[in-house]
Amino acid sequence: DVKVTQSSRYLVKRTGEKVFLECVQDMDHENMFWYRQDPGLGLRLIYFSYDVKMKEKGDIPEGYSVSREKKERFSLILESASTNQTSMYLCASTPGQGYNSPLHFGNGTRLTVT
Amino acid sequence: SQQGEEDPQALSIQEGENATMNCSYKTSINNLQWYRQNSGRGLVHLILIRSNEREKHSGRLRVTLDTSKKSSSLLITASRAADTASYFCATLRWGSGNTGKLIFGQGTTLQVKP
């Protein structure tokens, strides 16, 4: 079974801090994604990566950056955390072109910025 | 904006009844996927239906796809309390560099009462 592991289930950070959310998958998937989930807004795509060192903006990239130095790891970075980034963050991966393959999700990181 | 829109937003039924959730989308698709999310957890893939398929089954789940109406439905038969969760449809949007990304709707929250 594919395993997607997010390093923290819960995280509390202060406004202005630099925050790193880590995601690791163990199935050699090419594609990795970061979504945020908010009540009433569903899942929104922040960034995705289809190869090492490659990244592409999703629908809401402002205030975020990403890093993919190794195939198995995709990091989401909040350069200067703000309270409106309090949310549930979900990482996912899928193989190859991914168009006919399901996404495999981690269990999420619930981030609170105070 | 979200590609897929689920309807209804919330559904409450008794154990043993059938639950039907609908998803509408705006642009042409390669495939449509349904996911389930238990409270506070990541999403789990249920079914993928390709654009040239009209119906697909998996256990107590039945998914239909009508590309002429740009809509899909998820039917859960003989529901159980353990089916209580949020259900999301997702469709593929093509990005730059011939890459694709899954866009999720806001979900339907299903409550199955014992």
Side-chain angles (χ1 to χ4, degrees), chain B residues 88-99:
Chain B
F88 295 85
C89 70
T91 53
L92 187 69
R93 184 191 299 171
W94 292 100
S96 61
N98 204 30
T99 59

Side-chain angles (χ1 to χ4, degrees), chain B residues 3 25-29 70 92:
Chain B
Q3 166 80 317
Y25 57 92
K26 295 185 174 69
T27 61
S28 61
I29 60 171
K70 292 187 167 59
L92 187 69

Side-chain angles (χ1 to χ4, degrees), chain A residues 23-113:
Chain A
C23 176
V24 176
Q25 49 94 4
D26 64 358
M27 281 300 290
D28 204 37
H29 285 174
E30 284 78 5
N31 307 293
M32 297 187 75
F33 305 80
W34 275 107
Y35 290 86
R36 65 175 282 177
Q37 184 177 21
D38 301 285
L41 296 176
L43 277 79
R44 293 179 290 166
L45 183 63
I46 304 171
Y47 266 99
F48 67 105
S49 168
Y50 48 90
D51 202 352
V52 176
K53 296 194 186 295
M54 305 300 286
K55 61 184 179 184
E56 189 161 332
K57 292 179 180 178
D59 296 318
I60 51 164
E62 297 78 17
Y64 302 94
S65 62
V66 289
S67 171
R68 186 126 183 245
E69 295 297 317
K70 293 184 178 181
K71 193 173 187 180
E72 67 270 18
R73 186 181 295 270
F74 191 35
S75 303
L76 180 68
I77 303 154
L78 285 66
E79 298 290 342
S80 177
S82 64
T83 54
N84 63 12
Q85 292 178 309
T86 291
S87 186
M88 169 74 108
Y89 289 88
L90 293 163
C91 174
S93 72
T94 193
Q97 289 295 308
Y99 307 139
N100 284 314
S101 301
L103 287 182
H104 298 267
F105 280 85
N107 276 327
T109 295
R110 188 165 293 281
L111 172 67
T112 302
V113 183

